Amino acid sequence: MNTTQAKEISIEKVLQNLGCEPTKFNENESWYLSPFRIEKTASFKLNRKINRWFDHGEQKGGNVIDFVIEKFGFNVTEALSYLDKFDTFFSFQKQVFETPTKEKDNDSHIEKTIPVQHLALIQYLKSRGITKFQTENNLKEVHYTIKDRKYFAIGFENRSGGFEIRSKYAKICLGKKDITLISNQSQILRIFEGFFDYLSFSQIRDNKKLEQSDYLILNSVALITKNLSVLKDYKVIELYLDNDTQGHKYTNVILGKFENAIDFIGFFYPFKDLNEWLLACNLEVL
């Protein structure tokens, strides 16, 4: 590994490997208790957008090589040797960046699906506020090819065996687009637009002592009109559709057809969706 390759390695992944977790974060920056000393107030700032760090207590900063040298007292050669084990993260960042983002690609093939285990994917879930995912049967680590190029990402399986594929840079569907229906033999149905909203609800359900239910994840809000028959046998229908024009439109469609439907937009208002609300709550807690 040369210095150019090493500088592409995420400082965030190196910190995670050291057991460091952010005390607060926003879209571009994370703050940590300094990995160089014991402190009670976080003074170590990481700019994830440009992959640079700065420690206000030490008045030092730099790239990932500078960090490893400062942390362990390495020379450059020793730092590169240490960072070599993180090369898988570099490969991940490269492959997801190149992943096509259009909705469909006919020249695609799923190679395998396994439980989510790659650290880069776990970190992506954490960046969306999701830490409880191990028991989600529909959530997979999906390895796939598009035009003979190999990729992997988070995948959420739908009723037709297709997968909603998500990563930091990819938002596509592999296979047929369809809803996901999760049955727990309940008379309550909760409806979400996307699977990250569903995962967000699952994340806080136990803490708020909310009753278990069945779940309908639309994967595309327009699919609700083709699947209204799914709703007819439930006693209670809770709607968690997005706080935008499309979400309001289809919420009103369901409210107009089912007297037992309830709009739960107040659960996460004024945020756009449940996942955005969860991230904001996590920030407030931190």
Side-chain angles (χ1 to χ4, degrees):
M1 175 179 290
N2 58 40
T3 56
T4 300
Q5 291 173 320
K7 288 177 182 178
E8 296 293 333
I9 291 171
S10 169
I11 298 172
E12 187 174 28
K13 304 302 186 295
V14 177
L15 289 167
Q16 182 186 15
N17 187 65
L18 293 171
C20 301
E21 296 291 341
T23 63
K24 60 181 179 179
F25 60 91
N26 56 37
E27 184 177 356
N28 295 322
E29 295 179 346
S30 299
W31 287 82
Y32 297 79
L33 296 175
S34 177
F36 304 133
R37 61 187 177 279
I38 297 174
E39 63 180 10
K40 295 182 179 180
T41 303
S43 64
F44 184 94
K45 181 176 73 172
L46 171 63
N47 188 316
R48 300 191 307 277
K49 188 174 183 180
I50 61 174
N51 201 33
R52 304 276 294 190
W53 62 276
F54 187 81
D55 189 293
H56 288 268
E58 302 288 337
Q59 286 296 299
K60 293 181 180 179
N63 58 44
V64 68
I65 299 175
D66 299 321
F67 172 76
V68 172
I69 290 173
E70 180 70 21
K71 175 65 177 174
F72 299 107
F74 290 156
N75 59 35
V76 173
T77 301
E78 291 169 333
L80 292 177
S81 178
Y82 175 83
L83 290 169
D84 188 58
K85 66 181 180 180
F86 294 92
D87 190 42
T88 54
F89 293 116
F90 169 73
S91 299
F92 170 78
Q93 295 294 337
K94 183 178 179 181
Q95 66 94 8
V96 295
F97 182 78
E98 295 173 345
T99 301
T101 56
K102 60 184 179 180
E103 185 65 24
K104 294 182 180 179
D105 194 310
N106 293 327
D107 193 12
S108 63
H109 177 69
I110 295 176
E111 300 290 336
K112 65 177 179 178
T113 62
I114 59 176
V116 179
Q117 59 188 35
H118 197 288
L119 290 179
L121 297 182
I122 293 173
Q123 186 63 22
Y124 172 66
L125 287 170
K126 289 179 66 176
S127 75
R128 301 291 299 268
I130 307 302
T131 57
K132 300 176 184 178
F133 59 86
Q134 293 82 358
T135 60
E136 296 292 343
N137 294 329
N138 292 79
L139 193 70
K140 304 291 184 182
E141 178 176 316
V142 180
H143 293 247
Y144 60 100
T145 59
I146 295 179
K147 296 180 180 178
D148 296 324
R149 302 191 67 177
K150 295 183 181 295
Y151 306 99
F152 64 96
I154 294 295
F156 193 75
E157 190 171 10
N158 64 39
R159 187 174 57 177
S160 296
F163 280 88
E164 295 296 320
I165 298 295
R166 298 292 184 272
S167 71
K168 186 176 180 180
Y169 300 103
K171 185 177 181 180
I172 61 175
C173 178
L174 296 178
K176 183 179 178 181
K177 192 84 168 176
D178 202 353
I179 63 171
T180 302
L181 182 62
I182 300 174
S183 176
N184 292 301
Q185 305 300 314
S186 174
Q187 289 298 302
I188 301 172
L189 178 67
R190 295 184 172 111
I191 304 178
F192 305 91
E193 284 196 32
F195 72 86
F196 268 105
D197 292 327
Y198 159 70
L199 293 175
S200 298
F201 184 89
S202 298
Q203 188 80 12
I204 53 89
R205 183 186 60 235
D206 293 339
N207 290 344
K208 289 187 174 291
K209 299 180 180 180
L210 299 172
E211 184 179 353
Q212 184 61 281
S213 69
D214 288 3
Y215 300 94
L216 174 61
I217 300 90
L218 298 173
N219 298 316
S220 173
V221 68
L223 288 177
I224 188 62
T225 56
K226 298 180 180 180
N227 293 280
L228 290 174
S229 60
V230 174
L231 284 59
K232 61 183 178 63
D233 294 326
Y234 288 94
K235 292 183 179 180
V236 178
I237 301 169
E238 297 183 4
L239 303 173
Y240 297 83
L241 304 189
D242 286 2
N243 179 26
D244 59 18
T245 301
Q246 286 289 91
H248 298 163
K249 172 184 174 181
Y250 288 101
T251 293
N252 289 330
V253 168
I254 299 173
L255 292 175
K257 292 182 178 293
F258 296 90
E259 294 182 354
N260 56 338
I262 307 168
D263 184 8
F264 270 76
I265 193 173
F267 194 91
F268 55 88
Y269 186 85
F271 297 96
K272 179 181 181 296
D273 56 36
L274 201 56
N275 184 242
E276 188 176 289
W277 169 82
L278 176 66
L279 288 172
C281 288
N282 285 344
L283 281 173
E284 289 180 5
V285 170
L286 292 172

mmCIF file of all heavy atoms in Angstrom, residues 140-168:
data_model
loop_
_atom_site.group_PDB
_atom_site.id
_atom_site.type_symbol
_atom_site.label_atom_id
_atom_site.label_comp_id
_atom_site.label_asym_id
_atom_site.label_seq_id
_atom_site.Cartn_x
_atom_site.Cartn_y
_atom_site.Cartn_z
ATOM 1 N N LYS A 140 -30.354 -8.200 4.529
ATOM 2 C CA LYS A 140 -29.238 -9.050 4.124
ATOM 3 C C LYS A 140 -28.043 -8.233 3.660
ATOM 4 O O LYS A 140 -28.171 -7.057 3.305
ATOM 5 C CB LYS A 140 -29.667 -9.986 2.979
ATOM 6 C CG LYS A 140 -30.878 -10.859 3.273
ATOM 7 C CD LYS A 140 -30.573 -11.914 4.321
ATOM 8 C CE LYS A 140 -31.780 -12.837 4.531
ATOM 9 N NZ LYS A 140 -31.502 -13.852 5.587
ATOM 10 N N GLU A 141 -26.906 -8.874 3.669
ATOM 11 C CA GLU A 141 -25.738 -8.373 2.954
ATOM 12 C C GLU A 141 -25.783 -9.030 1.574
ATOM 13 O O GLU A 141 -25.684 -10.249 1.466
ATOM 14 C CB GLU A 141 -24.454 -8.754 3.690
ATOM 15 C CG GLU A 141 -23.182 -8.323 2.988
ATOM 16 C CD GLU A 141 -21.940 -8.644 3.799
ATOM 17 O OE1 GLU A 141 -21.930 -8.403 5.025
ATOM 18 O OE2 GLU A 141 -20.967 -9.155 3.190
ATOM 19 N N VAL A 142 -25.971 -8.218 0.557
ATOM 20 C CA VAL A 142 -26.186 -8.741 -0.801
ATOM 21 C C VAL A 142 -24.941 -8.502 -1.643
ATOM 22 O O VAL A 142 -24.472 -7.375 -1.784
ATOM 23 C CB VAL A 142 -27.402 -8.069 -1.468
ATOM 24 C CG1 VAL A 142 -27.599 -8.619 -2.876
ATOM 25 C CG2 VAL A 142 -28.658 -8.294 -0.630
ATOM 26 N N HIS A 143 -24.405 -9.590 -2.202
ATOM 27 C CA HIS A 143 -23.295 -9.512 -3.144
ATOM 28 C C HIS A 143 -23.867 -9.725 -4.542
ATOM 29 O O HIS A 143 -24.567 -10.713 -4.783
ATOM 30 C CB HIS A 143 -22.246 -10.565 -2.819
ATOM 31 C CG HIS A 143 -21.538 -10.320 -1.520
ATOM 32 N ND1 HIS A 143 -20.199 -10.000 -1.447
ATOM 33 C CD2 HIS A 143 -21.996 -10.337 -0.231
ATOM 34 C CE1 HIS A 143 -19.854 -9.833 -0.182
ATOM 35 N NE2 HIS A 143 -20.927 -10.027 0.580
ATOM 36 N N TYR A 144 -23.565 -8.806 -5.451
ATOM 37 C CA TYR A 144 -24.185 -8.846 -6.756
ATOM 38 C C TYR A 144 -23.229 -8.309 -7.824
ATOM 39 O O TYR A 144 -22.208 -7.691 -7.513
ATOM 40 C CB TYR A 144 -25.494 -8.051 -6.761
ATOM 41 C CG TYR A 144 -25.345 -6.582 -6.421
ATOM 42 C CD1 TYR A 144 -25.330 -5.599 -7.415
ATOM 43 C CD2 TYR A 144 -25.232 -6.167 -5.095
ATOM 44 C CE1 TYR A 144 -25.199 -4.251 -7.098
ATOM 45 C CE2 TYR A 144 -25.100 -4.819 -4.770
ATOM 46 C CZ TYR A 144 -25.087 -3.872 -5.777
ATOM 47 O OH TYR A 144 -24.950 -2.543 -5.464
ATOM 48 N N THR A 145 -23.576 -8.576 -9.058
ATOM 49 C CA THR A 145 -22.794 -8.058 -10.183
ATOM 50 C C THR A 145 -23.693 -7.239 -11.091
ATOM 51 O O THR A 145 -24.883 -7.539 -11.246
ATOM 52 C CB THR A 145 -22.156 -9.194 -11.014
ATOM 53 O OG1 THR A 145 -23.197 -10.050 -11.511
ATOM 54 C CG2 THR A 145 -21.197 -10.016 -10.176
ATOM 55 N N ILE A 146 -23.138 -6.216 -11.671
ATOM 56 C CA ILE A 146 -23.790 -5.431 -12.715
ATOM 57 C C ILE A 146 -22.781 -5.274 -13.846
ATOM 58 O O ILE A 146 -21.697 -4.722 -13.635
ATOM 59 C CB ILE A 146 -24.255 -4.054 -12.206
ATOM 60 C CG1 ILE A 146 -25.346 -4.216 -11.141
ATOM 61 C CG2 ILE A 146 -24.783 -3.203 -13.359
ATOM 62 C CD1 ILE A 146 -25.852 -2.914 -10.569
ATOM 63 N N LYS A 147 -23.147 -5.810 -14.997
ATOM 64 C CA LYS A 147 -22.252 -5.767 -16.164
ATOM 65 C C LYS A 147 -20.869 -6.285 -15.799
ATOM 66 O O LYS A 147 -19.843 -5.684 -16.096
ATOM 67 C CB LYS A 147 -22.183 -4.342 -16.726
ATOM 68 C CG LYS A 147 -23.514 -3.845 -17.260
ATOM 69 C CD LYS A 147 -23.420 -2.430 -17.809
ATOM 70 C CE LYS A 147 -24.781 -1.985 -18.336
ATOM 71 N NZ LYS A 147 -24.751 -0.593 -18.850
ATOM 72 N N ASP A 148 -20.868 -7.452 -15.124
ATOM 73 C CA ASP A 148 -19.648 -8.188 -14.765
ATOM 74 C C ASP A 148 -18.797 -7.487 -13.713
ATOM 75 O O ASP A 148 -17.668 -7.917 -13.447
ATOM 76 C CB ASP A 148 -18.794 -8.473 -16.009
ATOM 77 C CG ASP A 148 -19.508 -9.378 -16.999
ATOM 78 O OD1 ASP A 148 -20.225 -10.285 -16.536
ATOM 79 O OD2 ASP A 148 -19.348 -9.176 -18.217
ATOM 80 N N ARG A 149 -19.302 -6.439 -13.075
ATOM 81 C CA ARG A 149 -18.567 -5.794 -11.998
ATOM 82 C C ARG A 149 -19.216 -6.166 -10.669
ATOM 83 O O ARG A 149 -20.440 -6.176 -10.536
ATOM 84 C CB ARG A 149 -18.552 -4.280 -12.178
ATOM 85 C CG ARG A 149 -17.946 -3.836 -13.511
ATOM 86 C CD ARG A 149 -17.698 -2.354 -13.565
ATOM 87 N NE ARG A 149 -16.652 -1.945 -12.629
ATOM 88 C CZ ARG A 149 -16.208 -0.698 -12.529
ATOM 89 N NH1 ARG A 149 -16.722 0.269 -13.278
ATOM 90 N NH2 ARG A 149 -15.250 -0.398 -11.677
ATOM 91 N N LYS A 150 -18.406 -6.474 -9.677
ATOM 92 C CA LYS A 150 -18.890 -7.000 -8.411
ATOM 93 C C LYS A 150 -19.125 -5.871 -7.404
ATOM 94 O O LYS A 150 -18.303 -4.957 -7.284
ATOM 95 C CB LYS A 150 -17.888 -8.006 -7.836
ATOM 96 C CG LYS A 150 -17.730 -9.260 -8.692
ATOM 97 C CD LYS A 150 -16.790 -10.249 -8.035
ATOM 98 C CE LYS A 150 -16.615 -11.484 -8.890
ATOM 99 N NZ LYS A 150 -17.876 -12.245 -9.033
ATOM 100 N N TYR A 151 -20.234 -5.974 -6.653
ATOM 101 C CA TYR A 151 -20.588 -5.010 -5.628
ATOM 102 C C TYR A 151 -21.191 -5.736 -4.426
ATOM 103 O O TYR A 151 -21.582 -6.903 -4.522
ATOM 104 C CB TYR A 151 -21.611 -3.995 -6.154
ATOM 105 C CG TYR A 151 -21.204 -3.290 -7.421
ATOM 106 C CD1 TYR A 151 -21.676 -3.707 -8.666
ATOM 107 C CD2 TYR A 151 -20.339 -2.203 -7.379
ATOM 108 C CE1 TYR A 151 -21.308 -3.054 -9.826
ATOM 109 C CE2 TYR A 151 -19.957 -1.548 -8.534
ATOM 110 C CZ TYR A 151 -20.441 -1.979 -9.757
ATOM 111 O OH TYR A 151 -20.060 -1.332 -10.902
ATOM 112 N N PHE A 152 -21.299 -5.037 -3.331
ATOM 113 C CA PHE A 152 -22.078 -5.548 -2.201
ATOM 114 C C PHE A 152 -22.661 -4.373 -1.448
ATOM 115 O O PHE A 152 -22.104 -3.262 -1.472
ATOM 116 C CB PHE A 152 -21.252 -6.450 -1.285
ATOM 117 C CG PHE A 152 -20.106 -5.775 -0.593
ATOM 118 C CD1 PHE A 152 -20.252 -5.285 0.697
ATOM 119 C CD2 PHE A 152 -18.876 -5.650 -1.210
ATOM 120 C CE1 PHE A 152 -19.194 -4.671 1.355
ATOM 121 C CE2 PHE A 152 -17.813 -5.046 -0.560
ATOM 122 C CZ PHE A 152 -17.969 -4.557 0.722
ATOM 123 N N ALA A 153 -23.788 -4.611 -0.791
ATOM 124 C CA ALA A 153 -24.500 -3.529 -0.123
ATOM 125 C C ALA A 153 -25.534 -4.114 0.828
ATOM 126 O O ALA A 153 -25.715 -5.332 0.912
ATOM 127 C CB ALA A 153 -25.178 -2.620 -1.156
ATOM 128 N N ILE A 154 -26.225 -3.232 1.543
ATOM 129 C CA ILE A 154 -27.377 -3.633 2.341
ATOM 130 C C ILE A 154 -28.535 -3.933 1.391
ATOM 131 O O ILE A 154 -28.791 -3.192 0.443
ATOM 132 C CB ILE A 154 -27.788 -2.505 3.301
ATOM 133 C CG1 ILE A 154 -26.692 -2.257 4.356
ATOM 134 C CG2 ILE A 154 -29.118 -2.815 3.974
ATOM 135 C CD1 ILE A 154 -26.466 -3.423 5.292
ATOM 136 N N GLY A 155 -29.235 -5.036 1.635
ATOM 137 C CA GLY A 155 -30.392 -5.383 0.819
ATOM 138 C C GLY A 155 -31.590 -5.722 1.684
ATOM 139 O O GLY A 155 -31.445 -6.369 2.733
ATOM 140 N N PHE A 156 -32.770 -5.273 1.270
ATOM 141 C CA PHE A 156 -34.004 -5.566 1.993
ATOM 142 C C PHE A 156 -34.941 -6.292 1.034
ATOM 143 O O PHE A 156 -35.322 -5.760 -0.008
ATOM 144 C CB PHE A 156 -34.655 -4.279 2.507
ATOM 145 C CG PHE A 156 -35.751 -4.505 3.503
ATOM 146 C CD1 PHE A 156 -35.460 -4.867 4.816
ATOM 147 C CD2 PHE A 156 -37.083 -4.349 3.148
ATOM 148 C CE1 PHE A 156 -36.467 -5.063 5.743
ATOM 149 C CE2 PHE A 156 -38.099 -4.546 4.067
ATOM 150 C CZ PHE A 156 -37.793 -4.906 5.373
ATOM 151 N N GLU A 157 -35.309 -7.522 1.392
ATOM 152 C CA GLU A 157 -36.050 -8.388 0.473
ATOM 153 C C GLU A 157 -37.535 -8.048 0.435
ATOM 154 O O GLU A 157 -38.146 -7.759 1.467
ATOM 155 C CB GLU A 157 -35.873 -9.848 0.877
ATOM 156 C CG GLU A 157 -36.404 -10.833 -0.150
ATOM 157 C CD GLU A 157 -36.024 -12.261 0.161
ATOM 158 O OE1 GLU A 157 -35.502 -12.509 1.277
ATOM 159 O OE2 GLU A 157 -36.238 -13.128 -0.700
ATOM 160 N N ASN A 158 -38.109 -8.084 -0.765
ATOM 161 C CA ASN A 158 -39.541 -7.849 -0.900
ATOM 162 C C ASN A 158 -40.293 -9.157 -1.129
ATOM 163 O O ASN A 158 -39.699 -10.243 -1.159
ATOM 164 C CB ASN A 158 -39.832 -6.829 -2.016
ATOM 165 C CG ASN A 158 -39.415 -7.322 -3.396
ATOM 166 O OD1 ASN A 158 -39.576 -8.497 -3.744
ATOM 167 N ND2 ASN A 158 -38.876 -6.418 -4.208
ATOM 168 N N ARG A 159 -41.586 -9.057 -1.290
ATOM 169 C CA ARG A 159 -42.454 -10.230 -1.389
ATOM 170 C C ARG A 159 -42.172 -11.081 -2.616
ATOM 171 O O ARG A 159 -42.441 -12.286 -2.627
ATOM 172 C CB ARG A 159 -43.917 -9.759 -1.391
ATOM 173 C CG ARG A 159 -44.943 -10.856 -1.323
ATOM 174 C CD ARG A 159 -46.338 -10.303 -1.173
ATOM 175 N NE ARG A 159 -46.685 -9.387 -2.259
ATOM 176 C CZ ARG A 159 -47.876 -8.817 -2.397
ATOM 177 N NH1 ARG A 159 -48.830 -9.037 -1.502
ATOM 178 N NH2 ARG A 159 -48.122 -7.997 -3.405
ATOM 179 N N SER A 160 -41.609 -10.484 -3.670
ATOM 180 C CA SER A 160 -41.331 -11.205 -4.911
ATOM 181 C C SER A 160 -39.891 -11.708 -5.009
ATOM 182 O O SER A 160 -39.469 -12.182 -6.054
ATOM 183 C CB SER A 160 -41.640 -10.301 -6.110
ATOM 184 O OG SER A 160 -43.017 -9.991 -6.165
ATOM 185 N N GLY A 161 -39.129 -11.578 -3.930
ATOM 186 C CA GLY A 161 -37.754 -12.034 -3.937
ATOM 187 C C GLY A 161 -36.761 -11.015 -4.462
ATOM 188 O O GLY A 161 -35.573 -11.315 -4.585
ATOM 189 N N GLY A 162 -37.228 -9.803 -4.792
ATOM 190 C CA GLY A 162 -36.328 -8.731 -5.183
ATOM 191 C C GLY A 162 -35.726 -8.070 -3.958
ATOM 192 O O GLY A 162 -36.163 -8.314 -2.820
ATOM 193 N N PHE A 163 -34.720 -7.221 -4.176
ATOM 194 C CA PHE A 163 -34.047 -6.557 -3.068
ATOM 195 C C PHE A 163 -33.932 -5.062 -3.328
ATOM 196 O O PHE A 163 -33.514 -4.636 -4.406
ATOM 197 C CB PHE A 163 -32.636 -7.127 -2.866
ATOM 198 C CG PHE A 163 -32.599 -8.427 -2.114
ATOM 199 C CD1 PHE A 163 -32.712 -9.633 -2.787
ATOM 200 C CD2 PHE A 163 -32.467 -8.440 -0.736
ATOM 201 C CE1 PHE A 163 -32.684 -10.836 -2.101
ATOM 202 C CE2 PHE A 163 -32.430 -9.640 -0.035
ATOM 203 C CZ PHE A 163 -32.540 -10.847 -0.720
ATOM 204 N N GLU A 164 -34.314 -4.286 -2.310
ATOM 205 C CA GLU A 164 -33.985 -2.868 -2.294
ATOM 206 C C GLU A 164 -32.540 -2.748 -1.822
ATOM 207 O O GLU A 164 -32.215 -3.194 -0.720
ATOM 208 C CB GLU A 164 -34.921 -2.107 -1.357
ATOM 209 C CG GLU A 164 -36.370 -2.095 -1.782
ATOM 210 C CD GLU A 164 -36.586 -1.368 -3.097
ATOM 211 O OE1 GLU A 164 -35.936 -0.316 -3.302
ATOM 212 O OE2 GLU A 164 -37.382 -1.850 -3.907
ATOM 213 N N ILE A 165 -31.685 -2.192 -2.658
ATOM 214 C CA ILE A 165 -30.257 -2.108 -2.380
ATOM 215 C C ILE A 165 -29.909 -0.692 -1.922
ATOM 216 O O ILE A 165 -30.257 0.282 -2.588
ATOM 217 C CB ILE A 165 -29.433 -2.465 -3.633
ATOM 218 C CG1 ILE A 165 -29.713 -3.917 -4.052
ATOM 219 C CG2 ILE A 165 -27.945 -2.232 -3.389
ATOM 220 C CD1 ILE A 165 -29.264 -4.949 -3.042
ATOM 221 N N ARG A 166 -29.218 -0.608 -0.785
ATOM 222 C CA ARG A 166 -28.831 0.693 -0.259
ATOM 223 C C ARG A 166 -27.393 0.654 0.249
ATOM 224 O O ARG A 166 -26.947 -0.303 0.868
ATOM 225 C CB ARG A 166 -29.745 1.123 0.895
ATOM 226 C CG ARG A 166 -31.200 1.297 0.523
ATOM 227 C CD ARG A 166 -31.428 2.472 -0.397
ATOM 228 N NE ARG A 166 -32.830 2.668 -0.660
ATOM 229 C CZ ARG A 166 -33.502 2.074 -1.651
ATOM 230 N NH1 ARG A 166 -32.874 1.244 -2.473
ATOM 231 N NH2 ARG A 166 -34.792 2.321 -1.824
ATOM 232 N N SER A 167 -26.685 1.737 -0.020
ATOM 233 C CA SER A 167 -25.383 1.997 0.573
ATOM 234 C C SER A 167 -25.237 3.516 0.603
ATOM 235 O O SER A 167 -26.175 4.237 0.265
ATOM 236 C CB SER A 167 -24.251 1.353 -0.239
ATOM 237 O OG SER A 167 -24.069 2.040 -1.468
ATOM 238 N N LYS A 168 -24.071 3.977 0.965
ATOM 239 C CA LYS A 168 -23.855 5.414 1.011
ATOM 240 C C LYS A 168 -24.071 6.054 -0.351
ATOM 241 O O LYS A 168 -24.474 7.213 -0.453
ATOM 242 C CB LYS A 168 -22.441 5.703 1.520
ATOM 243 C CG LYS A 168 -22.146 7.177 1.750
ATOM 244 C CD LYS A 168 -20.768 7.363 2.355
ATOM 245 C CE LYS A 168 -20.472 8.832 2.590
ATOM 246 N NZ LYS A 168 -19.116 9.054 3.175
#
